Amino acid sequence: MTALLLVPLILPFLAPMPARRTLDRLAPATALWILTASALALAGACVAALGALVLTGLLKLPALAALGELIHPLRTPSDYLVLPAAAAATGVLALSAWTLARSAFLQTRSFRTARTQADRRPAAGDLCVVDSPHPDAYALPGRPHRIVVTTAMLRSLGPAEREALFAHERAHNRAGHHYFLAAAELAAHCHPALRTARDIIRLAAERAADEAAATAVGDRRLIARAIARAALACHASPSTRPDFAPAATTGPVPQRVAALLAPSPGRSRARRPTALLLVACTLLSVAAGTAGVVDFHHEVEIAQGETGP
């Protein structure tokens, strides 16, 4: 049981490499779905495994064993292994819960501020212009969706580049990329290795919006130029937007520009084993975590005298 519960804690460390290659070798929109689903599954398996380890340690305590109506000792490996593992799992879960709650509070406050600021401004369709000396532009979720852009950003771009930037942000809102970014942020608080996956998911969302904007505008070079100029304008400028509000200037911009300017490669089936590796890693983690939790539940039933060994 304990060995199975360790598998979901180890496998996320192997995920970043196939995650990066999945984004490189699949269409960005497809990669975004695979990466986000994998990150959530890995995070869920990790939390389930940590929870089972915590409960295993708690049921080793006589008072909690009596409360759990255990009439036999819970069969586990040596207490010298189980109790430290349970203590460590408790600390990890507590820290994860604290950082997640803190992040949720800060992001909610940032979103309310941005939403209030946008709602107070007159909007031209979905476009909201904010008077600010700091260049910025981002897709703001909510009802209705908004594209928030500052006057400084408008001054930094030419007319065609502005339309290209707006097409990028509209692609974010249309595809609901804020949900993917929020899911990636949630997963990142469940396991430290998934912080890298969060960054890759953010890049995938930007690449997907880049490609959608290029299709809408019909000029990949224009999209690349608009993104590059907007990123240069935003360099070292403060931004109060929430992390789940996607923006064209986030992520490794040179890599995104290079992808837009490069000829589109054919993505044959021969180039997809990396995505399968990521999926296999995820499925193995979920299967091991599920088996460990089921085994733990079975051991509890045996200790309660509800079933035979």
Side-chain angles (χ1 to χ4, degrees):
M1 175 185 71
T2 304
L4 285 173
L5 294 176
L6 293 178
V7 173
L9 308 181
I10 297 172
L11 282 181
F13 288 106
L14 305 179
M17 183 274 291
R20 290 190 188 94
R21 294 189 178 181
T22 296
L23 177 56
D24 291 340
R25 301 184 180 188
L26 294 182
T30 303
L32 179 60
W33 279 97
I34 294 175
L35 292 170
T36 305
S38 295
L40 286 176
L42 288 169
C46 175
V47 170
L50 289 172
L53 287 172
V54 170
L55 290 176
T56 301
L58 291 176
L59 291 177
K60 284 289 186 176
L61 303 177
L64 292 177
L67 187 63
E69 299 180 348
L70 303 188
I71 60 177
H72 305 295
L74 187 64
R75 296 189 309 181
T76 64
S78 170
D79 289 354
Y80 292 106
L81 173 64
V82 171
L83 294 180
T90 302
V92 170
L93 279 179
L95 180 61
S96 297
W98 163 249
T99 59
L100 178 60
R102 183 175 180 274
S103 176
F105 172 76
L106 294 176
Q107 293 304 312
T108 300
R109 185 174 63 180
S110 179
F111 171 72
R112 287 178 177 174
T113 300
R115 192 73 214 185
T116 300
Q117 184 184 48
D119 290 342
R120 288 176 178 173
R121 303 280 179 175
D126 61 349
L127 184 62
C128 176
V129 178
V130 177
D131 188 14
S132 172
H134 303 296
D136 200 9
Y138 55 92
L140 183 65
R143 294 184 179 179
H145 292 323
R146 296 290 190 199
I147 298 172
V148 179
V149 60
T150 64
T151 52
M153 177 61 81
L154 293 177
R155 290 192 295 267
S156 301
L157 304 176
E161 293 166 344
R162 294 175 191 170
E163 291 304 319
L165 183 67
F166 299 157
H168 176 97
E169 305 303 352
R170 287 192 178 99
H172 278 311
N173 279 335
R174 190 164 50 247
H177 286 164
H178 51 282
Y179 292 117
F180 295 91
L181 299 185
E185 185 68 21
L186 172 63
H189 289 280
C190 297
H191 195 288
L194 295 179
R195 296 172 188 171
T196 302
R198 173 185 59 189
D199 296 336
I200 299 172
I201 290 171
R202 288 175 176 173
L203 175 57
E206 294 304 325
R207 286 283 298 113
D210 291 342
E211 294 298 329
T215 300
V217 173
D219 189 341
R220 299 178 68 85
R221 288 185 174 275
L222 175 59
I223 299 295
R225 187 170 68 249
I227 291 171
R229 292 194 63 179
L232 287 173
C234 286
H235 180 66
S237 294
S239 177
T240 58
R241 64 175 177 263
D243 290 343
F244 59 83
T249 56
T250 58
V253 173
Q255 180 179 341
R256 293 167 50 204
V257 170
L260 283 167
L261 297 179
S264 298
R267 293 181 170 89
S268 64
R269 291 184 180 180
R271 302 189 67 189
R272 298 187 181 183
T274 303
L276 297 178
L277 179 60
L278 177 62
V279 172
C281 178
T282 302
L283 292 177
L284 179 59
S285 178
V286 172
T290 302
V293 171
V294 170
D295 190 26
F296 165 74
H297 182 262
H298 180 65
E299 293 296 338
V300 171
E301 289 183 331
I302 292 175
Q304 291 174 333
E306 297 181 3
T307 183

